[in-house]
């Protein structure tokens, strides 16, 4: 991983700070992380049994931290159906999905949700896992049906 963000601490816990926020991940004991001239290096510990298996995962987690705090992650959803719509009010997403009551979803910290044309949601944030979790939870309110395809779906 090679990126110009500020990296104040390396060890079993890697903390990364950048323009989009600050994130950290605790690495498993089977790998070690170090910082050098060419960026953060994640290496397996040869003496441990599962070190090769955990190496790629740990490297990807550190890469996601660096990319998250510098550029961020985005997930896009689209609502299809007659009368289906969404609106953001403060830290809440109000969804009208054909039920007798509106659905209210509380937006977590560091996550930004925007709505275009009442049916296109964009979820942005520095933590890839949280962005995906928010998109999955909103989609779970009304997944797209097989027959008519109405519901909340991933765009693209």
């Amino acid at each position: 991983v090679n990126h110009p963000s500020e990296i104040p601490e390396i060890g079993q816990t890697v903390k990364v700070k950048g323009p989009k926020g600050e994130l950290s991940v605790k690495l498993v004991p089977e790998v070690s992380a170090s910082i050098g001239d060419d960026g953060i290096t994640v290496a397996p510990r040869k003496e441990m049994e599962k070190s090769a298996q955990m190496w790629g995962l740990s490297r990807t987690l550190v890469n996601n931290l660096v990319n998250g705090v510098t550029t961020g992650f985005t997930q896009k959803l689209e609502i299809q159906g007659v009368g289906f719509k969404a609106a953001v009010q403060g830290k809440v997403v109000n969804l009208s999905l054909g039920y007798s009551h509106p659905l209210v979803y509380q937006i977590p910290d560091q996550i930004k949700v925007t709505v275009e044309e009442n049916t296109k949601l964009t979820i942005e944030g520095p933590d890839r896992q949280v962005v995906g979790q928010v998109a999955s939870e909103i989609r779970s309110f009304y997944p797209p049906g097989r027959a008519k395809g109405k519901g909340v779906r991933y765009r693209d």
Side-chain angles (χ1 to χ4, degrees):
V1 179
N2 187 6
H3 213 279
S5 14
E6 183 182 340
I7 304 161
E9 185 179 324
I10 295 269
Q12 283 311 104
T13 301
V14 178
K15 293 182 181 179
V16 182
K17 186 191 287 185
K20 300 269 184 180
E22 183 175 338
L23 296 172
S24 67
V25 66
K26 186 173 184 339
L27 300 178
V28 293
E30 287 86 0
V31 298
S32 64
S34 61
I35 187 165
D37 294 336
D38 56 345
I40 301 172
T41 303
V42 179
R45 296 184 189 212
K46 304 268 188 234
E47 68 275 2
M48 301 190 98
E49 191 174 315
K50 291 184 175 182
S51 62
Q53 296 170 357
M54 302 308 287
W55 182 17
L57 169 69
S58 300
R59 185 246 173 242
T60 300
L61 291 174
V62 172
N63 189 45
N64 285 344
L65 291 183
V66 174
N67 288 338
V69 299
T70 54
T71 58
F73 292 100
T74 303
Q75 189 70 262
K76 296 181 179 188
L77 298 174
E78 184 175 17
I79 301 172
Q80 288 188 345
V82 176
F84 288 16
K85 62 183 177 176
V88 176
Q89 295 174 340
K91 293 295 279 179
V92 172
V93 178
N94 291 319
L95 299 161
S96 297
L97 300 176
Y99 297 118
S100 61
H101 58 285
L103 299 168
V104 177
Y105 182 80
Q106 192 73 29
I107 302 171
D109 293 338
Q110 292 190 330
I111 298 296
K112 179 184 173 192
V113 178
T114 56
V115 177
E116 305 157 15
E117 303 172 17
N118 290 333
T119 59
K120 295 179 181 173
L121 286 89
T122 303
I123 302 158
E124 300 171 291
D127 192 340
R128 184 177 185 157
Q129 189 273 328
V130 176
V131 169
Q133 183 70 33
V134 168
S136 177
E137 288 173 359
I138 291 174
R139 183 180 180 268
S140 72
F141 289 131
Y142 201 124
R146 289 191 295 243
K148 296 183 180 179
K150 66 181 185 175
V152 181
R153 67 178 64 224
Y154 293 110
R155 266 195 284 170
D156 303 329

